[in-house]
Amino acid sequence: MFQRLLALDTGASSFLFGPRGTGKSYWLHHIHADALCIDLLESDTYTQLLADPSRLRNLVPPHVNLVVIDEVQRVPDLLHEVHRLIERQGTRFILTGSSARKLRRPSSDLLAGRALLNTMHPLVPEELGEAFDMAKALRVGLLPALYDPKRGGLVAEHYLSSYVQAYLREEVLQEGLTRNLAAFSRFLEAASFSQGNVLNMAEVARECAVGSKVVASYFDILEDLLIGVRLPAFTRRARRRVVQHPKFYFFDCGVYRTIRPRGPLDTPEETDGAALETLVFQVIRATVDALRLPFSLYFWRTVSGAEVDFVLYGEGGLIAIEVKRKRTLGGNDLAGLKSFKDEYPMARCVVLANTARREAIGPIEVIPIGDALAHLREILVPVQ
C-alpha cells in the first residue's frame, strides 16, 4: 500500500470525504484494522439503519473506541445518533462519504464542530514514489486501483469507463439527483469541453440542449459528488479588470479523458494540454489538502487576455504557477506571469514546463514538470 500524505487527528472524530475510488475505505481498514466498520453500501445494513437510525446504538457497544461508517451520506439521519454516541460514550467516529449533497441540507447534523473535515484525493507523485510515471498519469490519471500491483491485469480504459458509468448509475440515478439521465449524460460530455476553461453556462446549455438553470444545477451535482471542481478567479486588490467567472475541472485527468468524446476531427493537443493542466491542478489541490497548507487555490485572467493557470494565496504567501507543454520557452510564454508580477510584486512566479533543467528567467522560476510534481511540497512550502 502506498503511504498517503493525509494524516487524521487521532484525538477527534473526522469526516473523510472524497470521490469514489480514491481509497478511503481501503486506507482506513489498513491503518485502523481494529475499528468497528459499518458499511452503508451493504444492502442489509443500509436498509436496517435507513428504517431506524437509532439502531446504530445497538451496533456500537460502549467499549468500542473507534467506529468507521462508510458512505454516511446514504443515511444522513445517522449523524444525530453519531452525535449522541460521541457525547454519551465518548466514541470516536470516522465518517466517509463520496457525496456531500444530502449532508448540506438544513436538517443535517454536522456534529457541531465535533468532527474534523478531511478530503482524500487520487494519489499524488510523492505518494507513488518510484512508481510514478508521468506518461501513464497523463493517460489514465491517478486513481489508486490503476497502480495496485495485485490488479496487474486491470485494463485502465475499461476501469475508467466502468467508473464513469457507475457514477451515473449509482450516484446520480439511484440517489435521484436528476430525473433525466440522458440529458445529464449529454451534459457530462459537454462539460468535458470546458475542462480548464472559464465556464460559459449558456454555451454548455446549447451543447446539451437543456436550459441554463438546469446546467447550473448539473454543475452543482458534479461538485456535490466531488467529481467536478469550480476554480474561482483571483480578484484581490485587482487594479486591472479581471475575469470573474470560475474555471471548471473534473477531479482527475484520467476521468476527464474518459468522459471527453474524441473523434477524427480532434487533435491530440486539444486533449493533451487540458490533461496536463488537470494533472497539475489535482496534484496541487491534493497536496495542499493533505498537508493542510495555508493556501486557497485560484486562477487569474484579465479581460485583455493575460492569464495565470493557478494562484495560491493565503497565510503561506502568494504563488503564481503557469503550466506549459513546451520544451523551449519563448517570451510570449511568460507574458501572463509577467503581468501578474507587475500587479502583485510580492508574488513568487513559477513555470512548470517540459524543460530539461531548472533555471531562472528574471524573477520567474522554470521547473521541469515531472520534478515539480514529484517534489511539490518543496515549491509550496509557506514563505517565511
Side-chain angles (χ1 to χ4, degrees), residues 19-22 121-124 136-144 146-147 159-160 163-164 195 226-229 249-259 274-275 277-283 285:
R20 288 274 188 96
T22 50
H121 299 273
L123 293 164
V124 299
K136 177 179 178 179
L138 282 170
R139 182 172 58 86
V140 303
L142 291 168
L143 289 173
L146 302 175
Y147 295 85
Y159 173 81
L160 288 167
Y163 180 93
V164 171
Q195 185 80 352
L226 310 176
I227 59 174
V229 184
Y249 292 91
F250 285 102
F251 78 102
D252 177 80
C253 62
V255 171
Y256 152 67
R257 282 186 181 274
T258 303
I259 292 173
E277 191 174 315
T278 303
L279 180 64
V280 173
F281 168 71
Q282 69 182 85
V283 174
R285 185 167 167 252

mmCIF file of all heavy atoms in Angstrom, residues 19-22 121-124 136-144 146-147 159-160 163-164 195 226-229 249-259 274-275 277-283 285:
data_model
loop_
_atom_site.group_PDB
_atom_site.id
_atom_site.type_symbol
_atom_site.label_atom_id
_atom_site.label_comp_id
_atom_site.label_asym_id
_atom_site.label_seq_id
_atom_site.Cartn_x
_atom_site.Cartn_y
_atom_site.Cartn_z
ATOM 1 N N PRO A 19 -14.044 11.461 -3.749
ATOM 2 C CA PRO A 19 -14.755 10.720 -4.794
ATOM 3 C C PRO A 19 -14.596 9.215 -4.613
ATOM 4 O O PRO A 19 -13.643 8.740 -3.988
ATOM 5 C CB PRO A 19 -14.073 11.194 -6.086
ATOM 6 C CG PRO A 19 -13.414 12.481 -5.726
ATOM 7 C CD PRO A 19 -13.021 12.363 -4.295
ATOM 8 N N ARG A 20 -15.532 8.478 -5.167
ATOM 9 C CA ARG A 20 -15.396 7.022 -5.166
ATOM 10 C C ARG A 20 -14.076 6.629 -5.802
ATOM 11 O O ARG A 20 -13.624 7.237 -6.760
ATOM 12 C CB ARG A 20 -16.537 6.387 -5.973
ATOM 13 C CG ARG A 20 -17.904 6.431 -5.317
ATOM 14 C CD ARG A 20 -18.117 5.255 -4.387
ATOM 15 N NE ARG A 20 -19.499 5.233 -3.940
ATOM 16 C CZ ARG A 20 -20.455 4.509 -4.499
ATOM 17 N NH1 ARG A 20 -20.173 3.770 -5.557
ATOM 18 N NH2 ARG A 20 -21.675 4.531 -4.018
ATOM 19 N N GLY A 21 -13.455 5.591 -5.270
ATOM 20 C CA GLY A 21 -12.248 5.057 -5.889
ATOM 21 C C GLY A 21 -10.960 5.727 -5.484
ATOM 22 O O GLY A 21 -9.901 5.381 -6.005
ATOM 23 N N THR A 22 -11.019 6.682 -4.547
ATOM 24 C CA THR A 22 -9.780 7.339 -4.120
ATOM 25 C C THR A 22 -9.101 6.598 -2.968
ATOM 26 O O THR A 22 -8.029 7.015 -2.532
ATOM 27 C CB THR A 22 -10.036 8.799 -3.719
ATOM 28 O OG1 THR A 22 -11.129 8.854 -2.800
ATOM 29 C CG2 THR A 22 -10.371 9.637 -4.940
ATOM 30 N N HIS A 121 -7.965 12.600 -1.978
ATOM 31 C CA HIS A 121 -7.910 12.765 -3.433
ATOM 32 C C HIS A 121 -7.261 11.526 -4.057
ATOM 33 O O HIS A 121 -6.792 10.629 -3.341
ATOM 34 C CB HIS A 121 -7.084 14.004 -3.766
ATOM 35 C CG HIS A 121 -7.657 15.281 -3.213
ATOM 36 N ND1 HIS A 121 -8.592 16.015 -3.887
ATOM 37 C CD2 HIS A 121 -7.420 15.935 -2.045
ATOM 38 C CE1 HIS A 121 -8.914 17.087 -3.172
ATOM 39 N NE2 HIS A 121 -8.214 17.067 -2.049
ATOM 40 N N PRO A 122 -7.197 11.451 -5.391
ATOM 41 C CA PRO A 122 -6.372 10.411 -6.004
ATOM 42 C C PRO A 122 -4.921 10.532 -5.535
ATOM 43 O O PRO A 122 -4.541 11.494 -4.870
ATOM 44 C CB PRO A 122 -6.502 10.702 -7.504
ATOM 45 C CG PRO A 122 -7.812 11.411 -7.631
ATOM 46 C CD PRO A 122 -7.940 12.238 -6.380
ATOM 47 N N LEU A 123 -4.129 9.550 -5.884
ATOM 48 C CA LEU A 123 -2.724 9.546 -5.488
ATOM 49 C C LEU A 123 -1.984 10.761 -6.049
ATOM 50 O O LEU A 123 -2.412 11.361 -7.035
ATOM 51 C CB LEU A 123 -2.052 8.275 -5.986
ATOM 52 C CG LEU A 123 -2.521 6.960 -5.353
ATOM 53 C CD1 LEU A 123 -2.060 5.775 -6.193
ATOM 54 C CD2 LEU A 123 -2.031 6.833 -3.919
ATOM 55 N N VAL A 124 -0.891 11.100 -5.407
ATOM 56 C CA VAL A 124 -0.001 12.142 -5.917
ATOM 57 C C VAL A 124 1.382 11.528 -6.113
ATOM 58 O O VAL A 124 1.696 10.482 -5.533
ATOM 59 C CB VAL A 124 0.073 13.361 -4.962
ATOM 60 C CG1 VAL A 124 -1.298 13.997 -4.808
ATOM 61 C CG2 VAL A 124 0.643 12.970 -3.603
ATOM 62 N N LYS A 136 2.025 7.718 -17.965
ATOM 63 C CA LYS A 136 0.868 6.945 -17.542
ATOM 64 C C LYS A 136 -0.140 7.831 -16.819
ATOM 65 O O LYS A 136 -1.356 7.736 -17.048
ATOM 66 C CB LYS A 136 1.295 5.799 -16.629
ATOM 67 C CG LYS A 136 0.122 4.977 -16.092
ATOM 68 C CD LYS A 136 0.574 3.828 -15.203
ATOM 69 C CE LYS A 136 -0.621 3.058 -14.660
ATOM 70 N NZ LYS A 136 -0.200 1.902 -13.809
ATOM 71 N N ALA A 137 0.361 8.701 -15.935
ATOM 72 C CA ALA A 137 -0.535 9.589 -15.192
ATOM 73 C C ALA A 137 -1.330 10.481 -16.141
ATOM 74 O O ALA A 137 -2.521 10.708 -15.937
ATOM 75 C CB ALA A 137 0.260 10.430 -14.206
ATOM 76 N N LEU A 138 -0.680 10.983 -17.191
ATOM 77 C CA LEU A 138 -1.375 11.831 -18.155
ATOM 78 C C LEU A 138 -2.405 11.048 -18.960
ATOM 79 O O LEU A 138 -3.423 11.596 -19.383
ATOM 80 C CB LEU A 138 -0.370 12.470 -19.112
ATOM 81 C CG LEU A 138 0.407 13.661 -18.556
ATOM 82 C CD1 LEU A 138 1.534 14.043 -19.507
ATOM 83 C CD2 LEU A 138 -0.514 14.854 -18.329
ATOM 84 N N ARG A 139 -2.149 9.767 -19.136
ATOM 85 C CA ARG A 139 -3.047 8.945 -19.957
ATOM 86 C C ARG A 139 -4.235 8.433 -19.166
ATOM 87 O O ARG A 139 -5.376 8.475 -19.645
ATOM 88 C CB ARG A 139 -2.270 7.767 -20.561
ATOM 89 C CG ARG A 139 -3.080 6.862 -21.467
ATOM 90 C CD ARG A 139 -2.197 5.848 -22.159
ATOM 91 N NE ARG A 139 -1.451 5.024 -21.221
ATOM 92 C CZ ARG A 139 -1.926 3.912 -20.653
ATOM 93 N NH1 ARG A 139 -3.146 3.481 -20.936
ATOM 94 N NH2 ARG A 139 -1.186 3.226 -19.817
ATOM 95 N N VAL A 140 -4.003 7.962 -17.911
ATOM 96 C CA VAL A 140 -5.086 7.287 -17.180
ATOM 97 C C VAL A 140 -5.395 7.932 -15.830
ATOM 98 O O VAL A 140 -6.317 7.501 -15.138
ATOM 99 C CB VAL A 140 -4.762 5.791 -16.977
ATOM 100 C CG1 VAL A 140 -4.523 5.111 -18.313
ATOM 101 C CG2 VAL A 140 -3.575 5.589 -16.041
ATOM 102 N N GLY A 141 -4.623 8.943 -15.440
ATOM 103 C CA GLY A 141 -4.909 9.583 -14.164
ATOM 104 C C GLY A 141 -4.224 8.895 -12.999
ATOM 105 O O GLY A 141 -3.287 8.110 -13.177
ATOM 106 N N LEU A 142 -4.730 9.174 -11.798
ATOM 107 C CA LEU A 142 -4.036 8.729 -10.584
ATOM 108 C C LEU A 142 -4.955 8.029 -9.581
ATOM 109 O O LEU A 142 -4.681 8.022 -8.383
ATOM 110 C CB LEU A 142 -3.366 9.936 -9.915
ATOM 111 C CG LEU A 142 -2.176 10.537 -10.678
ATOM 112 C CD1 LEU A 142 -1.785 11.890 -10.094
ATOM 113 C CD2 LEU A 142 -0.978 9.598 -10.662
ATOM 114 N N LEU A 143 -6.037 7.427 -10.042
ATOM 115 C CA LEU A 143 -6.871 6.645 -9.128
ATOM 116 C C LEU A 143 -6.088 5.422 -8.645
ATOM 117 O O LEU A 143 -5.410 4.755 -9.426
ATOM 118 C CB LEU A 143 -8.161 6.215 -9.807
ATOM 119 C CG LEU A 143 -9.182 7.339 -10.066
ATOM 120 C CD1 LEU A 143 -10.347 6.816 -10.887
ATOM 121 C CD2 LEU A 143 -9.679 7.931 -8.750
ATOM 122 N N PRO A 144 -6.152 5.099 -7.342
ATOM 123 C CA PRO A 144 -5.287 4.056 -6.777
ATOM 124 C C PRO A 144 -5.398 2.683 -7.424
ATOM 125 O O PRO A 144 -4.395 1.981 -7.541
ATOM 126 C CB PRO A 144 -5.733 4.006 -5.306
ATOM 127 C CG PRO A 144 -6.248 5.374 -5.026
ATOM 128 C CD PRO A 144 -6.904 5.818 -6.293
ATOM 129 N N LEU A 146 -5.525 1.795 -10.343
ATOM 130 C CA LEU A 146 -4.706 1.683 -11.550
ATOM 131 C C LEU A 146 -3.231 1.497 -11.237
ATOM 132 O O LEU A 146 -2.426 1.265 -12.136
ATOM 133 C CB LEU A 146 -4.895 2.930 -12.416
ATOM 134 C CG LEU A 146 -6.342 3.206 -12.853
ATOM 135 C CD1 LEU A 146 -6.438 4.525 -13.589
ATOM 136 C CD2 LEU A 146 -6.846 2.069 -13.733
ATOM 137 N N TYR A 147 -2.868 1.580 -9.955
ATOM 138 C CA TYR A 147 -1.473 1.419 -9.529
ATOM 139 C C TYR A 147 -1.324 0.287 -8.523
ATOM 140 O O TYR A 147 -0.285 0.159 -7.896
ATOM 141 C CB TYR A 147 -0.966 2.741 -8.936
ATOM 142 C CG TYR A 147 -0.916 3.850 -9.961
ATOM 143 C CD1 TYR A 147 -2.044 4.612 -10.237
ATOM 144 C CD2 TYR A 147 0.245 4.113 -10.680
ATOM 145 C CE1 TYR A 147 -2.015 5.612 -11.205
ATOM 146 C CE2 TYR A 147 0.283 5.110 -11.640
ATOM 147 C CZ TYR A 147 -0.855 5.855 -11.903
ATOM 148 O OH TYR A 147 -0.829 6.837 -12.859
ATOM 149 N N TYR A 159 -11.526 0.109 -16.789
ATOM 150 C CA TYR A 159 -11.808 0.518 -15.409
ATOM 151 C C TYR A 159 -12.403 1.921 -15.376
ATOM 152 O O TYR A 159 -13.409 2.170 -14.697
ATOM 153 C CB TYR A 159 -10.538 0.462 -14.566
ATOM 154 C CG TYR A 159 -10.716 1.041 -13.175
ATOM 155 C CD1 TYR A 159 -11.295 0.284 -12.158
ATOM 156 C CD2 TYR A 159 -10.330 2.347 -12.891
ATOM 157 C CE1 TYR A 159 -11.474 0.815 -10.894
ATOM 158 C CE2 TYR A 159 -10.504 2.883 -11.630
ATOM 159 C CZ TYR A 159 -11.079 2.114 -10.632
ATOM 160 O OH TYR A 159 -11.269 2.650 -9.377
ATOM 161 N N LEU A 160 -11.797 2.847 -16.101
ATOM 162 C CA LEU A 160 -12.268 4.225 -16.085
ATOM 163 C C LEU A 160 -13.649 4.347 -16.710
ATOM 164 O O LEU A 160 -14.490 5.116 -16.232
ATOM 165 C CB LEU A 160 -11.271 5.122 -16.808
ATOM 166 C CG LEU A 160 -9.958 5.362 -16.060
ATOM 167 C CD1 LEU A 160 -8.918 5.996 -16.982
ATOM 168 C CD2 LEU A 160 -10.169 6.239 -14.838
ATOM 169 N N TYR A 163 -15.996 3.126 -14.207
ATOM 170 C CA TYR A 163 -16.050 4.096 -13.114
ATOM 171 C C TYR A 163 -17.038 5.209 -13.439
ATOM 172 O O TYR A 163 -17.887 5.571 -12.622
ATOM 173 C CB TYR A 163 -14.652 4.675 -12.905
ATOM 174 C CG TYR A 163 -14.547 5.705 -11.801
ATOM 175 C CD1 TYR A 163 -14.193 5.325 -10.514
ATOM 176 C CD2 TYR A 163 -14.784 7.052 -12.054
ATOM 177 C CE1 TYR A 163 -14.089 6.273 -9.501
ATOM 178 C CE2 TYR A 163 -14.676 7.996 -11.059
ATOM 179 C CZ TYR A 163 -14.332 7.598 -9.771
ATOM 180 O OH TYR A 163 -14.243 8.537 -8.780
ATOM 181 N N VAL A 164 -16.951 5.754 -14.644
ATOM 182 C CA VAL A 164 -17.858 6.841 -15.043
ATOM 183 C C VAL A 164 -19.297 6.347 -15.083
ATOM 184 O O VAL A 164 -20.218 7.001 -14.585
ATOM 185 C CB VAL A 164 -17.430 7.420 -16.407
ATOM 186 C CG1 VAL A 164 -18.491 8.384 -16.939
ATOM 187 C CG2 VAL A 164 -16.090 8.127 -16.277
ATOM 188 N N GLN A 195 -13.184 21.752 -19.770
ATOM 189 C CA GLN A 195 -12.094 21.416 -18.861
ATOM 190 C C GLN A 195 -10.965 22.438 -18.930
ATOM 191 O O GLN A 195 -10.383 22.694 -19.997
ATOM 192 C CB GLN A 195 -11.538 20.028 -19.182
ATOM 193 C CG GLN A 195 -10.481 19.521 -18.233
ATOM 194 C CD GLN A 195 -11.084 18.947 -16.957
ATOM 195 O OE1 GLN A 195 -12.261 19.037 -16.703
ATOM 196 N NE2 GLN A 195 -10.248 18.338 -16.141
ATOM 197 N N LEU A 226 -18.271 15.420 -5.779
ATOM 198 C CA LEU A 226 -16.829 15.584 -5.614
ATOM 199 C C LEU A 226 -16.043 15.180 -6.843
ATOM 200 O O LEU A 226 -14.840 14.946 -6.773
ATOM 201 C CB LEU A 226 -16.336 14.777 -4.391
ATOM 202 C CG LEU A 226 -17.128 15.007 -3.097
ATOM 203 C CD1 LEU A 226 -16.607 14.090 -1.989
ATOM 204 C CD2 LEU A 226 -17.076 16.450 -2.659
ATOM 205 N N ILE A 227 -16.716 15.113 -8.002
ATOM 206 C CA ILE A 227 -16.010 14.757 -9.228
ATOM 207 C C ILE A 227 -15.815 15.964 -10.142
ATOM 208 O O ILE A 227 -15.176 15.859 -11.189
ATOM 209 C CB ILE A 227 -16.713 13.625 -10.003
ATOM 210 C CG1 ILE A 227 -18.135 14.016 -10.393
ATOM 211 C CG2 ILE A 227 -16.713 12.353 -9.202
ATOM 212 C CD1 ILE A 227 -18.806 12.980 -11.277
ATOM 213 N N GLY A 228 -16.359 17.106 -9.762
ATOM 214 C CA GLY A 228 -16.148 18.334 -10.513
ATOM 215 C C GLY A 228 -15.774 19.461 -9.575
ATOM 216 O O GLY A 228 -16.215 19.487 -8.417
ATOM 217 N N VAL A 229 -14.954 20.379 -10.047
ATOM 218 C CA VAL A 229 -14.472 21.491 -9.215
ATOM 219 C C VAL A 229 -14.580 22.781 -10.010
ATOM 220 O O VAL A 229 -14.140 22.849 -11.166
ATOM 221 C CB VAL A 229 -12.987 21.291 -8.809
ATOM 222 C CG1 VAL A 229 -12.540 22.414 -7.869
ATOM 223 C CG2 VAL A 229 -12.778 19.937 -8.167
ATOM 224 N N TYR A 249 -12.964 22.011 -13.700
ATOM 225 C CA TYR A 249 -12.129 20.826 -13.872
ATOM 226 C C TYR A 249 -12.860 19.591 -13.350
ATOM 227 O O TYR A 249 -13.500 19.646 -12.285
ATOM 228 C CB TYR A 249 -10.816 20.933 -13.070
ATOM 229 C CG TYR A 249 -9.856 21.971 -13.552
ATOM 230 C CD1 TYR A 249 -9.894 23.268 -13.047
ATOM 231 C CD2 TYR A 249 -8.891 21.666 -14.510
ATOM 232 C CE1 TYR A 249 -9.001 24.231 -13.486
ATOM 233 C CE2 TYR A 249 -7.996 22.621 -14.956
ATOM 234 C CZ TYR A 249 -8.050 23.901 -14.438
ATOM 235 O OH TYR A 249 -7.171 24.862 -14.879
ATOM 236 N N PHE A 250 -12.768 18.475 -14.072
ATOM 237 C CA PHE A 250 -13.024 17.186 -13.446
ATOM 238 C C PHE A 250 -11.832 16.884 -12.540
ATOM 239 O O PHE A 250 -10.709 17.312 -12.794
ATOM 240 C CB PHE A 250 -13.202 16.087 -14.491
ATOM 241 C CG PHE A 250 -14.535 16.142 -15.192
ATOM 242 C CD1 PHE A 250 -14.651 16.667 -16.468
ATOM 243 C CD2 PHE A 250 -15.678 15.694 -14.555
ATOM 244 C CE1 PHE A 250 -15.872 16.738 -17.107
ATOM 245 C CE2 PHE A 250 -16.915 15.754 -15.179
ATOM 246 C CZ PHE A 250 -17.016 16.285 -16.460
ATOM 247 N N PHE A 251 -12.074 16.101 -11.487
ATOM 248 C CA PHE A 251 -11.091 15.974 -10.412
ATOM 249 C C PHE A 251 -9.858 15.172 -10.790
ATOM 250 O O PHE A 251 -8.833 15.250 -10.110
ATOM 251 C CB PHE A 251 -11.740 15.324 -9.180
ATOM 252 C CG PHE A 251 -11.914 13.836 -9.283
ATOM 253 C CD1 PHE A 251 -11.039 12.980 -8.623
ATOM 254 C CD2 PHE A 251 -12.940 13.277 -10.038
ATOM 255 C CE1 PHE A 251 -11.191 11.602 -8.703
ATOM 256 C CE2 PHE A 251 -13.102 11.908 -10.117
ATOM 257 C CZ PHE A 251 -12.224 11.059 -9.456
ATOM 258 N N ASP A 252 -9.913 14.403 -11.877
ATOM 259 C CA ASP A 252 -8.801 13.519 -12.244
ATOM 260 C C ASP A 252 -8.657 13.542 -13.760
ATOM 261 O O ASP A 252 -9.660 13.485 -14.492
ATOM 262 C CB ASP A 252 -9.068 12.100 -11.754
ATOM 263 C CG ASP A 252 -7.988 11.122 -12.167
ATOM 264 O OD1 ASP A 252 -6.933 11.090 -11.512
ATOM 265 O OD2 ASP A 252 -8.211 10.394 -13.161
ATOM 266 N N CYS A 253 -7.412 13.617 -14.250
ATOM 267 C CA CYS A 253 -7.222 13.745 -15.694
ATOM 268 C C CYS A 253 -7.628 12.472 -16.434
ATOM 269 O O CYS A 253 -8.071 12.536 -17.595
ATOM 270 C CB CYS A 253 -5.790 14.148 -16.024
ATOM 271 S SG CYS A 253 -4.512 12.988 -15.539
ATOM 272 N N GLY A 254 -7.520 11.300 -15.793
ATOM 273 C CA GLY A 254 -7.977 10.069 -16.437
ATOM 274 C C GLY A 254 -9.485 10.037 -16.577
ATOM 275 O O GLY A 254 -10.022 9.589 -17.607
ATOM 276 N N VAL A 255 -10.194 10.492 -15.558
ATOM 277 C CA VAL A 255 -11.653 10.575 -15.634
ATOM 278 C C VAL A 255 -12.063 11.585 -16.699
ATOM 279 O O VAL A 255 -12.989 11.362 -17.482
ATOM 280 C CB VAL A 255 -12.229 10.953 -14.255
ATOM 281 C CG1 VAL A 255 -13.725 11.265 -14.350
ATOM 282 C CG2 VAL A 255 -11.993 9.823 -13.255
ATOM 283 N N TYR A 256 -11.350 12.713 -16.749
ATOM 284 C CA TYR A 256 -11.631 13.714 -17.796
ATOM 285 C C TYR A 256 -11.475 13.112 -19.184
ATOM 286 O O TYR A 256 -12.341 13.269 -20.060
ATOM 287 C CB TYR A 256 -10.700 14.920 -17.625
ATOM 288 C CG TYR A 256 -10.411 15.649 -18.911
ATOM 289 C CD1 TYR A 256 -11.419 16.344 -19.580
ATOM 290 C CD2 TYR A 256 -9.132 15.608 -19.490
ATOM 291 C CE1 TYR A 256 -11.148 16.987 -20.784
ATOM 292 C CE2 TYR A 256 -8.866 16.256 -20.683
ATOM 293 C CZ TYR A 256 -9.879 16.944 -21.331
ATOM 294 O OH TYR A 256 -9.628 17.568 -22.521
ATOM 295 N N ARG A 257 -10.365 12.408 -19.429
ATOM 296 C CA ARG A 257 -10.144 11.829 -20.754
ATOM 297 C C ARG A 257 -11.238 10.821 -21.104
ATOM 298 O O ARG A 257 -11.642 10.695 -22.273
ATOM 299 C CB ARG A 257 -8.782 11.138 -20.799
ATOM 300 C CG ARG A 257 -7.585 12.067 -20.952
ATOM 301 C CD ARG A 257 -6.343 11.224 -21.140
ATOM 302 N NE ARG A 257 -5.134 11.987 -21.280
ATOM 303 C CZ ARG A 257 -4.674 12.491 -22.431
ATOM 304 N NH1 ARG A 257 -5.365 12.330 -23.545
ATOM 305 N NH2 ARG A 257 -3.531 13.148 -22.463
ATOM 306 N N THR A 258 -11.720 10.086 -20.109
ATOM 307 C CA THR A 258 -12.746 9.076 -20.352
ATOM 308 C C THR A 258 -14.078 9.718 -20.724
ATOM 309 O O THR A 258 -14.797 9.219 -21.599
ATOM 310 C CB THR A 258 -12.920 8.193 -19.107
ATOM 311 O OG1 THR A 258 -11.665 7.593 -18.775
ATOM 312 C CG2 THR A 258 -13.955 7.111 -19.327
ATOM 313 N N ILE A 259 -14.411 10.812 -20.076
ATOM 314 C CA ILE A 259 -15.689 11.476 -20.331
ATOM 315 C C ILE A 259 -15.664 12.235 -21.655
ATOM 316 O O ILE A 259 -16.670 12.264 -22.385
ATOM 317 C CB ILE A 259 -16.031 12.430 -19.167
ATOM 318 C CG1 ILE A 259 -16.326 11.619 -17.899
ATOM 319 C CG2 ILE A 259 -17.228 13.312 -19.510
ATOM 320 C CD1 ILE A 259 -16.512 12.468 -16.668
ATOM 321 N N ALA A 274 -5.178 20.070 -21.916
ATOM 322 C CA ALA A 274 -6.105 20.102 -20.784
ATOM 323 C C ALA A 274 -5.772 19.016 -19.769
ATOM 324 O O ALA A 274 -5.895 19.219 -18.554
ATOM 325 C CB ALA A 274 -7.540 19.938 -21.280
ATOM 326 N N ALA A 275 -5.324 17.841 -20.248
ATOM 327 C CA ALA A 275 -4.968 16.757 -19.332
ATOM 328 C C ALA A 275 -3.762 17.138 -18.478
ATOM 329 O O ALA A 275 -3.728 16.858 -17.270
ATOM 330 C CB ALA A 275 -4.679 15.480 -20.111
ATOM 331 N N GLU A 277 -2.737 20.202 -17.668
ATOM 332 C CA GLU A 277 -3.165 21.223 -16.709
ATOM 333 C C GLU A 277 -3.974 20.591 -15.583
ATOM 334 O O GLU A 277 -3.843 20.959 -14.411
ATOM 335 C CB GLU A 277 -3.994 22.281 -17.444
ATOM 336 C CG GLU A 277 -4.271 23.516 -16.607
ATOM 337 C CD GLU A 277 -4.953 24.602 -17.406
ATOM 338 O OE1 GLU A 277 -4.524 24.857 -18.550
ATOM 339 O OE2 GLU A 277 -5.923 25.192 -16.887
ATOM 340 N N THR A 278 -4.821 19.609 -15.929
ATOM 341 C CA THR A 278 -5.616 18.916 -14.919
ATOM 342 C C THR A 278 -4.733 18.144 -13.949
ATOM 343 O O THR A 278 -4.974 18.141 -12.745
ATOM 344 C CB THR A 278 -6.612 17.953 -15.588
ATOM 345 O OG1 THR A 278 -7.442 18.688 -16.487
ATOM 346 C CG2 THR A 278 -7.493 17.263 -14.546
ATOM 347 N N LEU A 279 -3.714 17.484 -14.483
ATOM 348 C CA LEU A 279 -2.802 16.722 -13.632
ATOM 349 C C LEU A 279 -2.130 17.641 -12.613
ATOM 350 O O LEU A 279 -2.062 17.325 -11.422
ATOM 351 C CB LEU A 279 -1.759 16.006 -14.479
ATOM 352 C CG LEU A 279 -0.732 15.162 -13.716
ATOM 353 C CD1 LEU A 279 -1.413 13.999 -13.003
ATOM 354 C CD2 LEU A 279 0.362 14.646 -14.652
ATOM 355 N N VAL A 280 -1.632 18.783 -13.072
ATOM 356 C CA VAL A 280 -1.002 19.730 -12.157
ATOM 357 C C VAL A 280 -2.014 20.235 -11.139
ATOM 358 O O VAL A 280 -1.741 20.301 -9.938
ATOM 359 C CB VAL A 280 -0.386 20.912 -12.949
ATOM 360 C CG1 VAL A 280 0.122 21.985 -11.992
ATOM 361 C CG2 VAL A 280 0.750 20.419 -13.835
ATOM 362 N N PHE A 281 -3.219 20.559 -11.597
ATOM 363 C CA PHE A 281 -4.266 21.042 -10.702
ATOM 364 C C PHE A 281 -4.585 20.032 -9.608
ATOM 365 O O PHE A 281 -4.641 20.370 -8.423
ATOM 366 C CB PHE A 281 -5.520 21.359 -11.518
ATOM 367 C CG PHE A 281 -6.752 21.592 -10.682
ATOM 368 C CD1 PHE A 281 -6.885 22.732 -9.906
ATOM 369 C CD2 PHE A 281 -7.786 20.665 -10.675
ATOM 370 C CE1 PHE A 281 -8.020 22.949 -9.133
ATOM 371 C CE2 PHE A 281 -8.917 20.871 -9.918
ATOM 372 C CZ PHE A 281 -9.041 22.014 -9.136
ATOM 373 N N GLN A 282 -4.797 18.776 -9.999
ATOM 374 C CA GLN A 282 -5.211 17.794 -9.000
ATOM 375 C C GLN A 282 -4.094 17.496 -8.004
ATOM 376 O O GLN A 282 -4.363 17.248 -6.821
ATOM 377 C CB GLN A 282 -5.712 16.510 -9.668
ATOM 378 C CG GLN A 282 -4.655 15.664 -10.372
ATOM 379 C CD GLN A 282 -5.247 14.447 -11.042
ATOM 380 O OE1 GLN A 282 -5.729 14.514 -12.174
ATOM 381 N NE2 GLN A 282 -5.234 13.304 -10.350
ATOM 382 N N VAL A 283 -2.838 17.537 -8.459
ATOM 383 C CA VAL A 283 -1.729 17.279 -7.537
ATOM 384 C C VAL A 283 -1.548 18.455 -6.572
ATOM 385 O O VAL A 283 -1.312 18.260 -5.376
ATOM 386 C CB VAL A 283 -0.428 16.987 -8.314
ATOM 387 C CG1 VAL A 283 0.759 16.867 -7.357
ATOM 388 C CG2 VAL A 283 -0.571 15.697 -9.125
ATOM 389 N N ARG A 285 -3.906 20.550 -5.615
ATOM 390 C CA ARG A 285 -5.074 20.524 -4.717
ATOM 391 C C ARG A 285 -4.944 19.436 -3.658
ATOM 392 O O ARG A 285 -5.200 19.661 -2.468
ATOM 393 C CB ARG A 285 -6.318 20.299 -5.581
ATOM 394 C CG ARG A 285 -7.643 20.347 -4.868
ATOM 395 C CD ARG A 285 -8.763 20.432 -5.902
ATOM 396 N NE ARG A 285 -10.054 20.187 -5.295
ATOM 397 C CZ ARG A 285 -10.779 19.087 -5.463
ATOM 398 N NH1 ARG A 285 -10.328 18.116 -6.257
ATOM 399 N NH2 ARG A 285 -11.935 18.937 -4.868
#
